[in-house]
Amino acid sequence: MTIIALAGATGYTGQRIISQAANNPAWQVRALVRQSATSKSHFPLGQDFAICDFGDQASVEAALEGCEAVFQTIGTTQAQFTADVNYETVDYGTTIALIKAAQAQGVKRFVLLSSAGAGLPLGSYLRWKAKTEKAVRESGLDWTILRPAAIVGPSRRAIQLASLPFVLLSKLPLIGRLGAVMRPVDVNDLALSFFKSLEDPTTIGKTLEGRSFWRLIR
C-alpha cells in the first residue's frame, strides 16, 4: 500500500482524490488538515488525518512521516484574499513547506496541481504558478506537474458551458493543440490523473498539459 500525503484535502479536487482512493486498496491517502477540518462530515469514515499547520514547519514534516508521495492541490483565488492569504502565501508558500518536509522525511514523489498557461505566465496568478513550478523542478524530488485548464463537475455547470468551445476546438486538426490545452477537465478525471502519475514512472520530471495530460488519463 502506498501512503500519500494530500494537501488540499477539503478542496474540490482533494475530495475526489479521497473518494477514488477509498475504492482502491493500493492507495492510502492521509489528509493534511487544520484542526478545525477533522470533524467535517464530507470525509469518509475512517479517513486517515494528520494535523498540519503550514505556519509551523515541524508540523508539516511530522504530517509526512511514513508517506511515499505528496499530492499538492492547494490553491487560492483573489476572492479569498486577506492580509495573509494570497498567491504567494498559499499557492507558493504551502508548496515550499511541503517540498522542505518531503526532503526532510525522504519522501521522493511529488505531484503538483498547477494551471494551464503557467508556461507563459501573464498576470499575477500565472506568475506565482510558474514560480511554484520552478521550486518543484529544482527540489531534487521525483516530481510531476499537472496543468489542467478549467475544472468542471458538480456545481460547476456555468464553467462547463463557458469552456465548451475549447472542447470543440480540441477536435480540429489545425488548432487542436490550443483546444487541448484549454479543454476543461472533469474533476474525477483530474483526481485520476494524480494516481495515474504515480503508476507511470515516465511522468517523473514531466509537465503534463494539453495532449500529454489527456494521454495520461485515457
Side-chain angles (χ1 to χ4, degrees), residues 33-170:
V33 296
R34 298 183 301 274
Q35 181 70 45
S36 61
T38 57
S39 62
K40 290 192 175 181
S41 60
H42 51 219
F43 286 113
L45 185 66
Q47 174 63 46
D48 181 20
F49 292 101
I51 305 302
C52 183
D53 176 3
F54 281 99
D56 176 7
Q57 187 62 32
S59 81
V60 185
E61 292 181 12
L64 266 59
E65 184 175 1
C67 293
E68 298 167 70
V70 176
F71 289 173
Q72 162 62 320
T73 72
I74 294 175
T76 193
T77 64
Q78 286 190 347
Q80 298 171 302
F81 278 14
T82 66
D84 300 317
V85 174
N86 52 58
Y87 299 135
E88 180 178 7
T89 59
V90 177
D91 298 58
Y92 180 74
T94 61
T95 302
I96 295 299
L98 288 166
I99 288 171
K100 291 179 179 178
Q103 291 167 336
Q105 292 286 10
V107 182
K108 291 297 293 180
R109 201 68 174 90
F110 197 103
V111 184
L112 172 69
L113 177 60
S114 186
S115 175
L120 295 170
L122 301 175
S124 179
Y125 174 74
L126 291 179
R127 283 198 298 271
W128 279 109
K129 288 295 186 186
K131 189 170 182 178
T132 302
E133 288 187 5
K134 184 174 184 289
V136 170
R137 291 191 185 97
E138 295 176 351
S139 66
L141 303 176
D142 292 339
W143 55 268
T144 302
I145 295 171
L146 304 174
R147 284 183 181 170
I151 304 170
V152 299
S155 77
R156 293 193 171 188
R157 179 67 173 168
I159 297 175
Q160 187 168 1
L161 290 174
S163 302
L164 183 59
F166 295 109
V167 177
L168 302 176
L169 284 174
S170 68

